[in-house]
Amino acid sequence: MRYGFWLPIFGGWLRNVEDEQMPPTFDYAKKVIQAAEQWGYDTTLIAELYLNDIKGTRADSLEAWSTAAALAAVTEKIEIMAAVRPIYHNPAVTAKMAANIDHISNGRFTLNIVSGWWQEEAIQYNGEFTAHEDRYNRTGEFLDVLKGMWTEESFSYDGKFYHVQNAQLSPKPVQKPNPILYAGGESNHGKALISENCDAYVMHGGTVEEIGEKINDMKSRRDKLGREPFKSFGMAAYVICRDTEEEALAELERITDVKESDGYAGMKDFTTKSELEKKISLQDYSVSNRGLRPNLIGTPDQIAKRILEYEEQGLDLLLLQCSPQYEEMERFSKQVMPLVEKYRKQYQQN
């Protein structure tokens, strides 16, 4: 299991808690990621949203790509995964930017491809928001251009959405043939595109059984295409680690006490503009990315054993959220990570 975390760019992950003591500033993000390298974390995911989907559309938030470049320069070993949404980006320019950040990081920059779901944000930021299938068709062309720019000396492309003529990109990325392309999607159209074009699959939080089914489905799709196996299967999860189960459940009750707020402004678009496999409840949505569904809630012992259940299903990357992030990530690294290693060795010996 590799351990990753969502970079704290929104001021928290809880829609019902106003102040989580984790400001959406570069200084705080830098503090967290530099400590995470020392604590044993492998990856950080930087979400790309121009409006703050957690604390409300008028609240501060960091921009993903400029933050990624800055963090690449002040870290040494952690993977920096930036989300990118094709409806806002020129793919040829994006390929150039990504190659540059890959050099700044010495081969640690990866991308999370997101087709987009928030129509109101697109209206405000001039994104071309279309029907679900068209957004994925655009994403397919976007990926074609990225890969062509990264691998060919001179690249041309004439698609429905993008046109490139004799484009040259130097230097090429450090990673060959390209930086790892992660993506997540639950519609049949999305999963087909990811199976064909991406390197790794990431999921919102789900139960052990749900995640196992998704992993098996994506492995099967990949096999049928005759492609090499996915490099990674990742899942978002919110962690509540406490000394006792009672304390953890009390914290769960506190953060899911649903209050009317601007933090729920994007819920309608997320649930109606995406083709989701599972219905989303208000409690699910009160914590970002369905992070409560994995139930990483309880004592270090309970959480470690739960993680190994996911590992048995083929999950190899956890993308964690917690609050307040610095303190809780430190707790997880010192109390949970060693137990996972301990129990894994015990299971292997038996």
Side-chain angles (χ1 to χ4, degrees):
M1 185 67 69
R2 293 187 298 141
Y3 299 101
F5 64 95
W6 294 67
L7 193 76
I9 65 171
F10 298 122
W13 306 109
L14 306 175
R15 291 185 168 92
N16 305 313
V17 178
E18 185 173 347
D19 184 3
E20 299 182 52
Q21 300 299 309
M22 42 192 292
T25 63
F26 178 74
D27 285 344
Y28 185 76
K30 177 182 173 183
K31 174 185 175 181
V32 169
I33 196 172
Q34 289 182 330
E37 281 197 314
Q38 305 306 312
W39 293 334
Y41 289 88
D42 303 283
T43 299
T44 188
L45 169 56
I46 310 177
E48 183 186 58
L49 285 174
Y50 301 132
L51 298 177
N52 192 323
D53 179 44
I54 307 297
K55 298 302 181 184
T57 56
R58 298 180 184 275
D60 292 349
S61 61
L62 299 180
E63 191 281 320
W65 278 61
S66 54
T67 301
L71 292 176
V74 298
T75 53
E76 297 180 355
K77 55 188 178 181
I78 198 165
E79 176 186 9
I80 298 173
M81 184 199 310
V84 58
R85 296 171 299 165
I87 65 173
Y88 296 105
H89 292 268
N90 175 322
V93 174
T94 301
K96 180 71 173 179
M97 293 169 62
N100 199 49
I101 301 175
D102 202 39
H103 278 270
I104 293 169
S105 68
N106 194 27
R108 293 182 288 119
F109 185 64
T110 59
L111 283 74
N112 178 29
I113 310 299
V114 182
S115 292
W117 53 267
W118 198 352
Q119 186 172 16
E120 174 57 31
E121 181 198 35
I123 292 170
Q124 293 190 28
Y125 277 84
N126 197 36
E128 190 171 348
F129 194 89
T130 56
H132 180 271
E133 186 168 324
D134 276 346
R135 295 201 301 278
Y136 274 98
N137 290 337
R138 175 189 291 274
T139 296
E141 290 194 10
F142 189 89
L143 291 168
D144 288 343
V145 176
L146 285 184
K147 293 178 181 180
M149 295 291 292
W150 286 334
T151 58
E152 297 185 21
E153 290 303 315
S154 180
F155 179 69
S156 296
Y157 189 85
D158 186 21
K160 176 181 177 181
F161 300 98
Y162 302 113
H163 306 276
V164 178
Q165 186 172 350
N166 300 323
Q168 299 176 40
L169 188 153
S170 295
K172 302 297 186 187
V174 174
Q175 299 171 75
K176 306 298 181 187
N178 56 261
I180 295 173
L181 298 171
Y182 294 82
E186 298 186 0
S187 69
N188 186 61
H189 196 98
K191 287 186 284 191
L193 182 142
I194 294 165
S195 299
E196 178 68 38
N197 295 283
C198 295
D199 306 307
Y201 186 59
V202 289
M203 298 162 277
H204 288 292
T207 66
V208 172
E209 293 74 18
E210 289 168 353
I211 296 303
E213 290 174 3
K214 289 182 180 182
I215 289 174
N216 288 334
D217 175 50
M218 293 303 285
K219 284 182 176 179
S220 175
R221 289 171 181 267
R222 193 77 161 184
D223 288 343
K224 289 177 182 177
L225 291 170
R227 298 290 308 280
E228 71 280 1
F230 280 113
K231 296 180 184 295
S232 182
F233 288 99
M235 179 187 71
Y238 187 86
V239 176
I240 303 176
C241 181
R242 296 293 185 269
D243 293 336
T244 67
E245 185 177 8
E246 290 73 22
E247 290 176 294
L249 292 176
E251 172 66 0
L252 175 63
E253 184 176 356
R254 182 183 77 90
I255 68 175
T256 54
D257 181 15
V258 177
K259 301 175 177 64
E260 183 177 349
S261 75
D262 194 31
Y264 288 86
M267 183 175 180
K268 182 177 179 181
D269 276 1
F270 180 70
T271 54
T272 61
K273 307 298 183 184
S274 305
E275 294 183 12
L276 303 177
E277 293 176 320
K278 301 290 182 181
K279 291 185 177 180
I280 305 299
S281 69
L282 272 176
Q283 186 184 61
D284 279 334
Y285 201 74
S286 66
V287 172
S288 181
N289 302 97
R290 274 175 268 172
L292 296 178
R293 289 185 69 80
N295 194 31
L296 298 188
I297 299 166
T299 65
D301 187 82
Q302 290 172 317
I303 294 171
K305 291 176 180 176
R306 184 77 167 174
I307 289 171
L308 286 171
E309 292 179 21
Y310 281 100
E311 196 171 280
E312 290 175 2
Q313 296 295 325
L315 191 76
D316 55 55
L317 173 63
L318 282 172
L319 295 165
L320 301 176
Q321 297 171 350
C322 45
S323 177
Q325 191 140 345
Y326 184 91
E327 292 82 358
E328 293 302 318
M329 281 178 56
E330 182 177 23
R331 185 204 301 259
F332 183 90
S333 70
K334 293 180 177 180
Q335 297 184 8
V336 179
M337 288 185 191
L339 283 178
V340 174
E341 298 301 313
K342 174 185 174 182
Y343 291 142
R344 183 188 296 114
K345 290 177 181 178
Q346 289 179 354
Y347 296 161
Q348 290 171 347
Q349 290 171 355
N350 294 334

